[in-house]
Amino acid sequence: QVQLVESGGGLVQAGGSLRLSCAASGLTFSRYAMGWFRQAPGKEREFVAAISGSGVSTSYIGSVKGRFTISRDNAKNTMYLQMRRGGGQDTAVYSCAAREGRLKNDYLIYDYWGQGTQVTVSS
């Protein structure tokens, strides 16, 4: 049974930093591309970042480039999202997802999802 569990969310002041984690179990982690998605109240789910199974390739939505860094530790079956210079537009529920194969930014083709963690950036 595949499980993805996010942690690290919370309240951060504008301009601050936060690191999210996604711990995976029940799958051969290195075979799965992983992604972070977010959904703000009243808005559609939005791709944030993705990383290939090896960790070599990454992809980001334009609004977080240069501020967020996605990474993974395959020995620990864990993926991370380092958030820096947070702004109000980053307030959302952040979810991690896994798909076997290449990294993609379309949430519809991810196979497994975590329950999400709330990130709130206060001004």
Side-chain angles (χ1 to χ4, degrees):
Q1 180 182 355
V2 176
Q3 281 193 317
L4 303 178
V5 180
E6 301 96 337
S7 61
L11 178 65
V12 61
Q13 289 189 335
S17 299
L18 205 61
R19 188 175 84 155
L20 306 182
S21 299
C22 173
S25 61
L27 75 172
T28 303
F29 189 61
S30 61
R31 292 175 57 180
Y32 283 75
M34 301 293 294
W36 286 101
F37 297 82
R38 66 187 181 187
Q39 188 166 20
K43 293 189 176 181
E44 295 286 319
R45 181 175 289 176
E46 175 182 56
F47 167 76
V48 177
I51 187 167
S52 62
S54 66
V56 171
S57 299
T58 57
S59 178
Y60 297 90
I61 191 173
S63 61
V64 309
K65 280 184 180 178
R67 299 190 300 120
F68 291 12
T69 303
I70 190 171
S71 62
R72 65 191 294 161
D73 184 339
N74 285 350
K76 295 182 178 179
N77 284 10
T78 303
M79 175 182 64
Y80 306 95
L81 184 69
Q82 178 68 53
M83 306 169 60
R84 299 180 182 86
R85 304 199 308 276
Q89 74 276 13
D90 299 318
T91 293
V93 175
Y94 285 71
S95 299
C96 65
R99 70 177 305 272
E100 191 167 8
R102 301 180 67 178
L103 71 88
K104 299 289 183 182
N105 62 5
D106 182 354
Y107 72 88
L108 292 175
I109 59 175
Y110 277 76
D111 303 311
Y112 304 105
W113 289 83
Q115 81 288 352
T117 186
Q118 176 71 46
V119 172
T120 302
V121 181
S122 65
S123 57

